[in-house]
Each structure stands twice: as C-alpha cells, then as structure tokens.
Amino acid sequence: MTDDETLLTVAQMAEATGVTAHTLRYYERAGLIRPVARNAGNQRRYSAVDVDWAAFLLRLRQTGMPIAQMREYADLRQLGDATIDDRLRLLEAHQIAVREQIAALRAHEKALDDKVRVYRRTLTTREGKKP
C-alpha cells in the first residue's frame, strides 16, 4: 500500500476502528501504535495492518488490559517472533483475568436475577395475583 487511495486518513481510521482521532494519536504517543506512515503533506496514513493492530489493541483495552501491559505487548511485538513465548504468556495471563471477570459478572447477574424475581413476586402478591 503506497498510494493515498489505499491508505486511511485519521478520520477514516477512527471510523474504521470506532475510536476517536484523539485516541489514535494517544496510542501512537504511548507507543502502542508504531509511528504511522505519512503522505507528502505530512498527514497520517494508516494501512490495513494498522487497522487490524488497532482493533486488537482495542479488544485488549475493552477486556480490561491496562495500558502499561498493552505497551509491554506492543514492545514485544515490535521485537519480532523471538518474543512469541513472552507474548503468549502475557495473553494467557490476561485471558485468565478476563475469565475471572466473566465469572464474577455471571455471579452478579444471578444476584440481580434473584432480586428482580423477589420484587416481581412482591408486586404480584401486593396486587392480589398469584405468583
């Protein structure tokens, strides 16, 4: 991808990833996104690889990975295949944390279901209806 027609502007990248241009620039400054290619006018131009990488970063963030860990992962990625073991360990640890969050959310959901059921039963009884 070398001409501007196949590359995305910041606005197009923001639309493609669902984040703001400000977030994209922050991710670049934070070292999460490698320096982005620029056109003759010095405007950022993102490739399909950049879109995929940003989407993965967003998935990590949405699953609760701290920025510091995301930066560690990004740094390892930049070093190439020699870091696959380290990246795998980092992702496996995060996967465990995500699974723990899911289990906690399921327990909270069950508690809410129980409370909703109690309130519905109370309202039904109060209205003189059988539960």
Side-chain angles (χ1 to χ4, degrees), residues 56-124:
F56 184 70
L57 287 173
L58 294 170
R59 187 172 304 276
L60 292 177
R61 190 72 189 126
Q62 290 169 349
T63 57
M65 183 178 277
I67 295 290
Q69 272 188 317
M70 291 170 62
R71 188 176 299 114
E72 179 182 355
Y73 185 88
D75 290 345
L76 290 168
R77 177 179 177 258
Q78 281 296 109
L79 295 173
D81 287 351
T83 66
I84 287 177
D85 286 341
D86 293 328
R87 285 184 275 164
L88 177 61
R89 277 191 287 280
L90 200 149
L91 290 179
E92 286 174 335
H94 183 62
Q95 187 177 44
I96 290 168
V98 167
R99 287 179 177 155
E100 289 170 354
Q101 290 173 357
I102 290 169
L105 286 171
R106 286 189 176 130
H108 297 322
E109 180 187 30
K110 184 183 179 322
L112 288 170
D113 284 344
D114 293 345
K115 186 56 82 174
V116 167
R117 204 172 4 266
V118 166
Y119 287 154
R120 284 191 176 142
R121 196 174 0 202
T122 300
L123 287 174
T124 302

Side-chain angles (χ1 to χ4, degrees), residues 13-28:
M13 178 70 160
E15 185 177 331
T17 59
V19 299
T20 65
H22 174 77
T23 298
L24 291 169
R25 288 184 195 104
Y26 168 76
Y27 277 14
E28 189 177 344

